[in-house]
Amino acid sequence: MIEQDNSTGVDVPGGKRAIGSGLAHRFPGTPLLFTDLSFVLCPGETVALVGPSGSGKSTLLSILAGWVKPTAGEVRWEGVARTGWVFQNPHGVPRRTAIDHVALPLLGQHLTRVQADQQAETIMARFSLTEVSDRQFRDLSGGEAQRLMLARAVAANYDLLLVDEPTAQLDMATAATVNAVLANVGNSGSIVVVATHDPHTRDSCDRVINLADHQPASEKARLEIEAQP
Amino acid sequence: MSRSIDRRMRPTAVLGEAIRDVSSGTTRMGVFALIFILLVGLIAAADVNAVAGVVRQVVGFRAAGASVLTLKAEQSVDGQRCSRLMGVGAITGAAALRPGQPVTLAAMPSSPVTGVEATPDLLALLQTIAQPITIDPGTSAGIWLSADVASLLQAQPGDTVPTSAGPVQVAAIYTWPDDGRGRDLGYAMVTPVAADGVFSQCWIETWPLSDTVTNLLNLSVINPNPDNPATINQLNTSLGLQLDGQALLDKRLTAQAGWVAGIAGLLLGFTATRSRRLEIADALHVGITRTALLWQQLLETVIWVTASLIIVAAALLWLVGALGQEPAWAIWLTGLRAVIAAAATTLLGALLGASSAREKNLAHYAKDR
Ligand SMILES: Nc1ncnc2c1ncn2[C@@H]1O[C@H](COP(=O)(O)OP(=O)(O)OP(=O)(O)O)[C@@H](O)[C@H]1O
Ligand SMILES: [Mg+2]
């Protein structure tokens, strides 16, 4: 099966990009969450999306996924066919082993079990999961489970990976083990965005988009937005 | 940039995932198989019991002689005509009878035994309505004794017993229970005689019952006597005049067992895969095709449904044996229909449940947990 890009149709040599320009969003009957937001996201870096609680981080991820249409501005995707998510609470199949979770997306890429297991082991090593690869998901610690979600996302080989609060459910020490491997997701060839309010997670990323810098400054901004067609 | 990734999962990989799900307990095969076995097994067992009950009632009706019509016409029944009724329409047996000389047994001179003469075809009829019946294979000629007489004489088929008319050989001993049937053959010795000649009764057994046979029965009468017209009666009226086996089957409490079991299977199969919607949505999200997932879920369901099917089928076989009602195979197959219906709808339900999981609901499912 040949995958068709759902992008603008322009064949971009050299890779994939997600381009946000002039983005602003509000839900019906609520004030603007953010405004005047523009960025270019490329593979090879992990971008942190920060801002106070309720500032619209998760909402922006949904806009990037194409699930939510922004009130103003637009997102352009180039070479982005598949978008993946990692949520704050890791979920898996309780009685299946850790390595089975990482091998599954590889089996879905027409690999044999032996090939998939080999590749899964390589990926898991990058997320410090070698020790637990044969352990059942239900026996993993929170940090291990969250790292497994990241490893599985790498195996799934998304074009755009959206990670929402990966350490929100973890204590400091456990969160540190996740933050330590977060950069490895960015090296995987996907565009990676991590929404977080954990400063350590932010520090593990290569670049920061801070929604606090894009809060509507005045009523003027709101009126400008409303004047647009 | 266009990438070319083959997203077809290998059949061996699909099978491997199914086996790992079953062996790891992810399928929860034990729970669902147990529910299937209990639920569908009980429905099918109830149906087997009901069908056996109907068959028992029908067999009992015939065995009691309720399906036998007797025509009585003094000195007016033609033996040949009566015998020839056998095989006409629904008539399974026909025989002509007349009183013979009372017989006094040497062992019991004070209580004479009713003597009856009958065409040889009566023996075939007795095999339907006078069970248990024992026939001596070595004795072609000889008399037939009712069990009441035989037990007094302690006679066995093949024995020779002394009578007032000389010694006679016992060819058969039949049972004539006091269950409401006419007592003519109750304490009797029947002597088979040639069908030539005139008799006073013609008996026919019909199955299934039919209203038109009385006309046929009247054909056995010659020289009708206007002063003493022929009368037709049911040999045993205690079980009612009619018994419609098909209607009883259709009306049985469990006639809808197939539907009920089918719906139970549909719900069970749906529940089994619907409860794994988060896992299925996850697999879709990491790039597994819906087709591969449906095959995988189907395989897992086939494994536990087949195991349950075999167990229920074996249990029903045991039940049919314990009920002891013939025809055992036919009764077993009737019960099995509900089980097979349930197995098929369980697979269908599992496919529906697996189809209902949506990748887009992933965030929603994840929060549900
Ligand atoms: N579908 C919706 N309809 C209306 N309001 C919504 C909807 N989704 C989110 N909101 C509101 O929009 C605001 C931003 O929500 P969002 O989840 O994006 O914030 P966040 O930055 O991710 O916060 P947190 O750090 O707590 O996760 C919140 O006030 C939220 O209540
Ligand atoms: Mg959020």
Side-chain angles (χ1 to χ4, degrees), chain B residues 299-312:
Chain B
L299 282 170
E300 293 179 34
T301 314
V302 160
I303 291 172
W304 64 260
V305 166
T306 306
S308 314
L309 186 82
I310 292 170
I311 291 170
V312 173

Side-chain angles (χ1 to χ4, degrees), chain A residues 38-116:
Chain A
S38 298
F39 50 77
V40 178
L41 304 172
C42 296
E45 55 172 5
T46 304
V47 177
L49 183 58
V50 301
S53 183
S55 61
K57 299 184 293 294
S58 298
T59 305
L60 182 57
L61 291 185
S62 294
I63 290 171
L64 279 170
W67 289 3
V68 171
K69 195 178 152 6
T71 312
E74 62 159 10
V75 178
R76 238 160 14 98
W77 294 272
E78 293 171 358
V80 175
R82 296 178 59 243
T83 302
W85 285 89
V86 171
F87 299 105
Q88 68 177 34
N89 39 354
H91 49 87
V93 186
R95 291 167 190 271
R96 294 294 298 269
T97 60
I99 191 170
D100 279 355
H101 285 76
V102 183
L104 181 62
L106 300 167
L107 293 172
Q109 293 160 32
H110 205 63
L111 267 56
T112 64
R113 170 70 66 181
V114 173
Q115 293 166 337

Side-chain angles (χ1 to χ4, degrees), chain B residues 219-245:
Chain B
L219 291 176
S220 65
V221 179
I222 49 161
N223 313 322
N225 178 353
D227 300 334
N228 196 4
T231 57
I232 296 179
N233 290 298
Q234 197 181 8
L235 177 61
N236 187 344
T237 54
S238 67
L239 300 177
L241 200 57
Q242 290 290 340
L243 184 87
D244 186 343

